[in-house]
Coordinates of all heavy atoms in Angstrom, one line a residue:
A1377 N -144.4 93.9 -123.6 CA -143.9 95.0 -122.9 C -143.2 94.4 -121.6 O -143.6 93.3 -121.3 CB -145.0 95.9 -122.3
P1378 N -142.2 95.0 -121.2 CA -141.6 94.6 -119.9 C -142.5 94.4 -118.8 O -143.5 95.1 -118.7 CB -140.6 95.7 -119.5 CG -140.3 96.4 -120.9 CD -141.6 96.3 -121.7
G1379 N -142.4 93.3 -118.1 CA -143.2 93.0 -117.0 C -144.5 92.1 -117.4 O -145.2 91.5 -116.5
E1380 N -144.8 92.1 -118.7 CA -145.9 91.2 -119.1 C -145.5 89.7 -119.1 O -144.3 89.4 -119.1 CB -146.3 91.6 -120.6 CG -147.1 92.9 -120.6 CD -147.8 93.1 -121.9 OE1 -147.1 92.8 -123.0 OE2 -148.8 93.7 -122.0
V1381 N -146.5 88.8 -119.1 CA -146.3 87.5 -118.9 C -146.7 86.8 -120.3 O -147.8 87.0 -120.8 CB -147.1 86.8 -117.8 CG1 -147.0 85.4 -117.7 CG2 -146.6 87.5 -116.5
L1382 N -145.8 85.9 -120.7 CA -146.1 85.2 -121.9 C -146.2 83.8 -121.5 O -145.5 83.2 -120.8 CB -144.9 85.3 -123.0 CG -145.0 84.4 -124.2 CD1 -146.2 84.7 -125.1 CD2 -143.7 84.4 -125.0
E1383 N -147.3 83.0 -122.0 CA -147.6 81.6 -121.7 C -147.2 80.8 -123.0 O -147.6 81.3 -124.1 CB -149.0 81.4 -121.4 CG -149.3 79.9 -121.1 CD -150.8 79.8 -120.7 OE1 -151.2 80.1 -119.6 OE2 -151.5 79.3 -121.6
I1384 N -146.3 79.9 -122.8 CA -145.7 79.1 -124.1 C -146.1 77.7 -123.9 O -145.7 77.0 -122.9 CB -144.2 79.4 -124.2 CG1 -143.9 80.8 -124.3 CG2 -143.7 78.6 -125.5 CD1 -142.4 81.1 -124.2
R1385 N -146.9 77.2 -124.8 CA -147.2 75.7 -125.0 C -146.0 75.1 -125.7 O -145.8 75.4 -126.8 CB -148.5 75.5 -125.4 CG -149.6 76.1 -124.7 CD -151.0 75.7 -125.3 NE -151.3 74.3 -124.9 CZ -151.5 73.4 -125.9 NH1 -151.3 73.6 -127.1 NH2 -151.8 72.2 -125.4
L1386 N -145.4 74.1 -125.1 CA -144.3 73.3 -125.8 C -144.3 71.9 -125.6 O -144.9 71.4 -124.6 CB -142.9 74.0 -125.5 CG -142.7 74.3 -123.9 CD1 -141.7 73.2 -123.5 CD2 -142.1 75.5 -123.8
R1387 N -143.6 71.2 -126.5 CA -143.6 69.7 -126.4 C -142.2 69.2 -126.8 O -141.6 69.7 -127.6 CB -144.6 69.1 -127.3 CG -144.6 67.7 -127.5 CD -145.4 67.1 -128.8 NE -146.7 67.7 -128.9 CZ -147.8 67.2 -128.4 NH1 -147.7 66.1 -127.5 NH2 -149.0 67.9 -128.5
G1388 N -141.7 68.2 -126.0 CA -140.5 67.5 -126.4 C -139.3 67.9 -125.4 O -139.3 68.9 -124.8
D1389 N -138.4 67.0 -125.3 CA -137.3 67.1 -124.3 C -136.4 68.4 -124.7 O -136.1 69.1 -123.7 CB -136.5 65.9 -124.4 CG -137.1 64.7 -123.8 OD1 -138.1 64.9 -123.0 OD2 -136.7 63.5 -124.1
E1390 N -136.0 68.6 -125.9 CA -135.2 69.7 -126.2 C -135.8 71.0 -125.8 O -135.1 71.9 -125.2 CB -134.8 69.6 -127.6 CG -133.7 68.6 -127.8 CD -133.1 68.7 -129.3 OE1 -132.2 69.6 -129.5 OE2 -133.6 68.0 -130.1
P1391 N -137.0 71.3 -126.4 CA -137.7 72.6 -126.0 C -137.8 72.7 -124.5 O -137.7 73.8 -123.9 CB -139.0 72.5 -126.7 CG -138.8 71.6 -127.8 CD -137.8 70.6 -127.3
L1392 N -138.2 71.7 -123.7 CA -138.4 71.8 -122.3 C -137.1 72.1 -121.6 O -137.1 72.9 -120.6 CB -138.9 70.4 -121.7 CG -140.3 70.0 -122.0 CD1 -140.7 68.7 -121.5 CD2 -141.2 71.1 -121.1
E1393 N -136.0 71.8 -122.1 CA -134.7 72.1 -121.6 C -134.2 73.5 -122.1 O -133.8 74.3 -121.3 CB -133.7 71.0 -121.8 CG -132.3 71.3 -121.2 CD -131.3 70.2 -121.4 OE1 -131.8 69.0 -121.7 OE2 -130.2 70.5 -121.4
N1394 N -134.3 73.6 -123.3 CA -133.6 74.8 -124.0 C -134.2 76.1 -124.0 O -133.7 77.1 -123.7 CB -133.3 74.4 -125.4 CG -132.3 73.3 -125.6 OD1 -131.5 73.1 -124.7 ND2 -132.3 72.6 -126.7
V1395 N -135.6 76.1 -124.1 CA -136.4 77.4 -124.2 C -136.4 78.0 -122.7 O -135.9 79.3 -122.7 CB -137.8 77.2 -124.7 CG1 -138.6 78.4 -124.5 CG2 -137.9 76.7 -126.1
P1396 N -136.7 77.4 -121.6 CA -136.5 78.1 -120.3 C -135.1 78.6 -120.1 O -134.9 79.6 -119.6 CB -137.0 77.2 -119.3 CG -137.7 76.1 -120.2 CD -137.2 76.1 -121.5
R1397 N -134.2 77.7 -120.3 CA -132.7 78.0 -120.1 C -132.4 79.2 -120.8 O -131.7 80.2 -120.3 CB -131.8 76.9 -120.3 CG -130.3 77.2 -120.1 CD -129.5 76.0 -120.4 NE -129.7 75.3 -121.6 CZ -129.5 75.6 -122.8 NH1 -128.7 76.6 -123.1 NH2 -129.7 74.8 -123.7
S1398 N -132.7 79.3 -122.1 CA -132.2 80.5 -123.0 C -132.9 81.7 -122.6 O -132.3 82.8 -122.7 CB -132.6 80.1 -124.4 OG -131.8 78.9 -124.9
L1399 N -134.2 81.7 -122.3 CA -134.9 82.8 -121.9 C -134.4 83.4 -120.6 O -134.3 84.6 -120.3 CB -136.4 82.6 -121.7 CG -137.2 82.3 -123.1 CD1 -138.6 81.9 -122.9 CD2 -137.1 83.5 -124.0
T1400 N -134.0 82.6 -119.7 CA -133.4 82.9 -118.4 C -132.1 83.6 -118.7 O -131.7 84.6 -118.1 CB -133.2 81.7 -117.4 OG1 -134.5 81.2 -117.1 CG2 -132.5 82.1 -116.1
D1401 N -131.3 82.9 -119.6 CA -130.0 83.5 -120.0 C -130.2 85.0 -120.5 O -129.3 85.7 -120.4 CB -129.3 82.7 -121.1 CG -128.8 81.4 -120.4 OD1 -128.8 81.3 -119.3 OD2 -128.3 80.6 -121.3
L1402 N -131.3 85.2 -121.2 CA -131.6 86.6 -121.7 C -132.1 87.6 -120.6 O -132.3 88.7 -120.9 CB -132.6 86.6 -122.9 CG -132.1 85.8 -124.1 CD1 -133.2 85.8 -125.0 CD2 -130.9 86.7 -124.7
G1403 N -132.3 87.1 -119.4 CA -132.7 87.9 -118.2 C -134.1 87.9 -117.9 O -134.6 88.6 -117.0
H1404 N -134.9 87.0 -118.5 CA -136.4 87.0 -118.3 C -136.6 86.1 -117.2 O -135.7 85.1 -116.9 CB -137.1 86.5 -119.6 CG -136.8 87.3 -120.7 ND1 -137.1 88.8 -120.8 CD2 -136.2 87.1 -121.9 CE1 -136.7 89.2 -122.0 NE2 -136.1 88.2 -122.6
E1405 N -137.7 86.2 -116.5 CA -138.1 85.3 -115.3 C -138.9 84.3 -115.6 O -140.1 84.4 -116.1 CB -138.7 86.3 -114.2 CG -139.1 85.5 -113.0 CD -139.8 86.4 -112.0 OE1 -140.1 87.5 -112.3 OE2 -140.2 85.8 -110.9
I1406 N -138.5 83.0 -115.2 CA -139.5 81.8 -115.6 C -140.4 81.8 -114.3 O -140.0 81.7 -113.2 CB -138.6 80.6 -115.7 CG1 -137.6 80.7 -116.9 CG2 -139.6 79.3 -115.8 CD1 -138.3 81.0 -118.2
L1407 N -141.7 81.9 -114.5 CA -142.6 81.8 -113.5 C -143.0 80.4 -113.2 O -143.3 80.1 -111.9 CB -143.8 82.7 -113.8 CG -143.5 84.1 -114.1 CD1 -144.9 84.9 -114.5 CD2 -143.0 84.8 -112.8
S1408 N -143.2 79.6 -114.1 CA -143.6 78.2 -113.9 C -143.4 77.4 -115.2 O -143.3 77.9 -116.3 CB -145.1 78.1 -113.5 OG -145.9 78.6 -114.5
L1409 N -143.3 76.1 -115.0 CA -143.1 75.1 -116.1 C -143.9 73.9 -115.6 O -143.4 73.2 -114.8 CB -141.7 74.8 -116.4 CG -141.5 73.7 -117.6 CD1 -142.3 74.1 -118.9 CD2 -140.1 73.5 -117.8
E1410 N -145.1 73.7 -116.2 CA -145.9 72.6 -115.7 C -146.6 71.9 -116.9 O -146.8 72.3 -117.9 CB -147.1 73.2 -114.8 CG -146.6 73.9 -113.6 CD -147.7 74.7 -112.9 OE1 -148.8 74.8 -113.5 OE2 -147.5 75.1 -111.8
P1411 N -147.0 70.5 -116.6 CA -147.6 69.8 -117.6 C -149.1 70.5 -117.8 O -149.6 71.0 -117.0 CB -147.9 68.4 -116.9 CG -146.9 68.3 -115.9 CD -146.6 69.7 -115.4
D1412 N -149.4 70.5 -119.1 CA -150.6 71.1 -119.5 C -151.8 70.3 -119.1 O -152.0 69.1 -119.6 CB -150.6 71.3 -121.1 CG -151.8 72.2 -121.5 OD1 -152.8 72.4 -120.7 OD2 -151.9 72.5 -122.7
P1413 N -152.6 70.7 -118.2 CA -153.8 69.8 -117.8 C -154.8 69.5 -119.0 O -155.6 68.7 -118.9 CB -154.4 70.6 -116.6 CG -153.9 72.1 -116.8 CD -152.7 72.0 -117.6
A1414 N -154.7 70.3 -120.0 CA -155.7 70.3 -121.1 C -155.2 69.1 -122.0 O -155.8 68.8 -123.0 CB -155.8 71.5 -121.9
D1415 N -153.9 68.5 -121.8 CA -153.3 67.6 -122.6 C -153.4 66.2 -121.9 O -152.4 65.9 -121.3 CB -152.0 67.9 -123.0 CG -151.3 66.8 -123.9 OD1 -152.0 66.2 -124.8 OD2 -150.0 66.7 -123.8
P1416 N -154.5 65.5 -122.1 CA -154.7 64.3 -121.4 C -153.6 63.2 -121.7 O -153.2 62.3 -120.9 CB -156.1 63.7 -121.8 CG -156.4 64.3 -123.0 CD -155.6 65.6 -123.0
A1417 N -153.0 63.2 -122.8 CA -152.0 62.2 -123.3 C -150.7 62.6 -122.7 O -149.7 61.8 -122.7 CB -151.8 62.2 -124.8
G1418 N -150.5 63.8 -122.2 CA -149.2 64.3 -121.7 C -148.2 64.6 -122.7 O -148.6 64.5 -124.0
G1419 N -147.2 65.1 -122.4 CA -146.2 65.6 -123.3 C -146.2 67.1 -123.6 O -145.1 67.6 -123.9
V1420 N -147.3 67.7 -123.4 CA -147.3 69.3 -123.7 C -147.1 69.9 -122.2 O -147.8 69.4 -121.2 CB -148.7 69.6 -124.3 CG1 -148.8 71.2 -124.4 CG2 -148.7 69.1 -125.7
H1421 N -146.3 70.8 -122.2 CA -146.1 71.6 -121.0 C -146.4 73.1 -121.3 O -146.4 73.6 -122.4 CB -144.6 71.5 -120.6 CG -144.3 70.1 -120.0 ND1 -144.2 69.0 -120.6 CD2 -144.1 69.8 -118.7 CE1 -143.9 68.0 -119.8 NE2 -143.9 68.5 -118.6
V1422 N -146.7 73.8 -120.1 CA -147.0 75.2 -120.3 C -145.9 76.0 -119.4 O -145.6 75.8 -118.3 CB -148.3 75.5 -119.7 CG1 -148.5 77.0 -119.9 CG2 -149.4 74.8 -120.5
L1423 N -145.1 76.8 -120.2 CA -144.1 77.7 -119.6 C -144.6 79.0 -119.5 O -145.2 79.6 -120.5 CB -142.8 77.6 -120.5 CG -141.7 78.6 -120.2 CD1 -141.0 78.2 -118.9 CD2 -140.7 78.6 -121.4
R1424 N -144.5 79.7 -118.4 CA -144.9 81.0 -118.1 C -143.6 81.8 -117.8 O -142.9 81.5 -116.9 CB -145.9 81.2 -117.1 CG -147.2 80.4 -117.4 CD -148.3 80.5 -116.3 NE -148.8 81.8 -116.3 CZ -148.4 82.7 -115.3 NH1 -147.8 82.3 -114.3 NH2 -149.1 83.9 -115.3
V1425 N -143.5 82.9 -118.7 CA -142.3 83.7 -118.5 C -142.6 85.2 -118.4 O -143.5 85.7 -119.1 CB -141.3 83.5 -119.6 CG1 -141.9 83.8 -121.0 CG2 -140.0 84.2 -119.6
R1426 N -142.0 85.9 -117.5 CA -142.2 87.4 -117.4 C -141.0 88.1 -118.1 O -139.9 87.8 -117.8 CB -142.3 87.8 -115.9 CG -142.5 89.4 -115.8 CD -142.7 89.7 -114.3 NE -144.1 89.5 -114.0 CZ -144.3 88.7 -113.0 NH1 -143.4 88.1 -112.2 NH2 -145.6 88.4 -112.7
K1427 N -141.4 89.0 -119.0 CA -140.3 89.8 -119.7 C -139.6 90.7 -118.7 O -140.2 91.3 -117.9 CB -140.9 90.5 -120.8 CG -139.8 91.2 -121.7 CD -140.4 91.9 -122.9 CE -139.3 92.7 -123.6 NZ -139.8 93.2 -124.9

Side-chain angles (χ1 to χ4, degrees):
E1380 286 190 328
V1381 175
L1382 175 65
E1383 181 177 287
I1384 305 170
R1385 296 182 76 243
L1386 47 105
R1387 172 192 315 270
D1389 293 336
E1390 283 186 83
L1392 279 171
E1393 182 179 335
N1394 295 335
V1395 172
R1397 179 179 40 84
S1398 298
L1399 291 174
T1400 299
D1401 289 348
L1402 293 172
H1404 306 298
E1405 178 186 2
I1406 303 303
L1407 302 175
S1408 63
L1409 176 59
E1410 302 173 346
D1412 185 352
D1415 179 35
V1420 174
H1421 285 72
V1422 177
L1423 171 68
R1424 296 182 67 253
V1425 59
R1426 177 175 287 123
K1427 183 173 180 173

